[in-house]
Amino acid sequence: MSTLPVYVAVNKYLLSQTGFGISANTFLLLFHILKLLQDRRPKPTDLTTCHLAFVHIALLITVLFLFSPELFELLSFWNDFKCKALFYVNRVMRGLSICTTCLLSIIQAITISPSTSWLAQFKNKYTLFILYFFFFFIWLICLSFSTSILFHTVATSNVTQTNLMLLTKYCSFSPVSHGFRGLMFTLTTSRDVFLVEVMLFSSAYMVILLLKHQRRSQHLHSTSLSPRSSPEKRATQTILLLVTFFVVMYWVDFIISSSSLILWTYDSVILSVQSVVVHVYATVSPLVLISSDKRIFNMLQQCTTEKLLILTGW
């Protein structure tokens, strides 16, 4: 039975998912840019969310060009250069996505930590400078870790070798020695596993704090939270949901990509399914962040009210 109809269907879903994700991330990015311009002292979570939205926009744009032949051919460059550039940017943005999500979970853990905690020492005026340093550091790490893509990604039509790993209609991976492949796999996996462990550790810490707060509230015979703690609890639950979803998607992708690298083959359907899994977090995360941010709801409500007043002549 031919797998072409399945491949076409999954590919169409991937492109529609990507377009929707770009729209959601663009809205999230513009909203946080507006907030950053309005606030004299921007919140670290706003800066990090803004960075995450930008990273996901760039990531999803590369997916559009890689998996849409029409868009790929619109780029007036050599196919070899297009493949190298698009896959390099895609890999860099994937690395930045996991790094930024990890950073977001750490910042939220610091935000809700009590004043008696050792994490409270990071709640000072130097927090933004530390955050800028981390942005520079993770960009440097991700840019350097992905350089091998530039050497091993080629345009399929420009190479006569038969042992290429086909990635898209136009792009492939050229053969890589087992030693070098093992080295890059170990370095990348070690980085990602370390970041996932940090995310899980910070998430566990936040869950413990939330449980302590809930027990304290029950002890006081009141389930209502103070105006200050309620938004923090909501933000913490949002980050926990994002981290959980990311970790699940990461391990599914890890299993598929590891198997494909070991066997040095990519079935077209499996490749499309993996692309959906890899990039679904970039589509879902802005929706979660938007739906949990009351500031966005209040802004939309205010805009709707003003529009109704204008239409009714008030």
Side-chain angles (χ1 to χ4, degrees):
M1 183 177 178
S2 175
T3 59
L4 183 60
V6 179
Y7 169 75
V8 172
V10 175
N11 210 46
K12 285 183 177 179
Y13 174 79
L14 173 63
L15 294 176
S16 61
Q17 169 193 302
T18 301
F20 186 77
I22 291 174
S23 302
N25 279 290
T26 301
F27 176 82
L28 185 66
L29 177 63
L30 293 176
F31 172 79
H32 278 89
I33 289 176
L34 180 63
K35 285 298 176 183
L36 292 175
L37 293 175
Q38 290 177 344
D39 297 339
R40 293 183 179 180
R41 295 187 63 184
K43 297 178 181 178
T45 49
D46 284 338
L47 281 169
T48 311
T49 302
C50 190
H51 184 262
L52 185 65
F54 170 77
V55 165
H56 285 163
I57 291 170
L59 174 66
L60 294 172
I61 286 175
T62 63
V63 176
L64 279 182
F65 280 98
L66 283 170
F67 289 90
S68 174
E70 295 81 8
L71 289 177
F72 186 87
E73 292 176 354
L74 278 178
L75 297 174
S76 55
F77 302 106
W78 293 323
N79 283 357
D80 198 56
F81 177 81
K82 286 189 282 189
C83 289
K84 292 179 185 295
L86 289 171
F87 268 102
Y88 179 71
V89 173
N90 182 273
R91 187 60 61 88
V92 170
M93 294 304 152
R94 284 173 61 181
L96 286 171
S97 178
I98 183 174
C99 290
T100 309
T101 303
C102 180
L103 185 59
L104 193 60
S105 67
I106 294 172
I107 290 172
Q108 190 59 35
I110 294 173
T111 301
I112 67 170
S113 61
S115 56
T116 55
S117 170
W118 66 273
L119 288 175
Q121 62 184 313
F122 295 102
K123 297 180 183 181
N124 53 46
K125 61 183 179 180
Y126 299 109
T127 302
L128 292 180
F129 294 101
I130 296 173
L131 188 61
Y132 293 143
F133 169 77
F134 273 108
F135 282 153
F136 172 78
F137 181 72
I138 63 177
W139 270 89
L140 184 64
I141 290 293
C142 293
L143 287 170
S144 59
F145 267 59
S146 304
T147 51
S148 62
I149 295 293
L150 297 174
F151 299 100
H152 299 288
T153 305
V154 294
T156 306
S157 57
N158 293 347
V159 182
T160 56
Q161 293 172 309
T162 58
N163 56 342
L164 297 175
M165 180 191 288
L166 188 65
L167 298 173
T168 67
K169 180 180 179 180
Y170 297 99
C171 305
S172 301
F173 273 162
S174 61
V176 185
S177 65
H178 291 289
F180 184 79
R181 193 191 312 171
L183 175 63
M184 294 308 301
F185 179 79
T186 302
L187 289 175
T188 306
T189 304
S190 299
R191 180 201 65 183
D192 292 351
V193 169
F194 170 75
L195 292 171
V196 168
E197 287 178 349
V198 173
M199 278 190 273
L200 293 176
F201 178 78
S202 60
S203 298
Y205 176 74
M206 287 188 281
V207 168
I208 292 171
L209 290 180
L210 288 178
L211 290 175
K212 286 183 178 180
H213 183 79
Q214 184 177 4
R215 289 174 184 173
R216 193 180 301 115
S217 299
Q218 291 174 350
H219 180 70
L220 295 173
H221 305 286
S222 173
T223 56
S224 62
L225 298 176
S226 65
R228 181 182 177 184
S229 60
S230 181
E232 291 180 351
K233 180 181 178 181
R234 187 167 54 251
T236 303
Q237 291 172 337
T238 301
I239 302 304
L240 289 173
L241 179 61
L242 286 179
V243 169
T244 302
F245 185 74
F246 180 88
V247 171
V248 172
M249 292 298 102
Y250 171 80
W251 285 113
V252 173
D253 168 52
F254 179 80
I255 293 171
I256 297 175
S257 58
S258 299
S259 303
S260 300
L261 281 174
I262 292 172
L263 299 174
W264 195 250
T265 181
Y266 257 120
D267 179 77
S268 58
V269 176
I270 293 177
L271 176 63
S272 297
V273 171
Q274 184 194 7
S275 298
V276 171
V277 171
V278 169
H279 302 104
V280 71
Y281 173 73
T283 302
V284 172
S285 60
L287 300 178
V288 175
L289 291 167
I290 290 170
S291 62
S292 62
D293 196 332
K294 276 197 170 184
R295 296 175 302 175
I296 296 178
F297 176 77
N298 293 335
M299 182 191 70
L300 293 176
Q301 190 177 39
Q302 183 180 359
C303 291
T304 304
T305 303
E306 291 176 355
K307 187 175 181 180
L308 288 174
L309 290 174
I310 292 173
L311 291 175
T312 55
W314 287 88

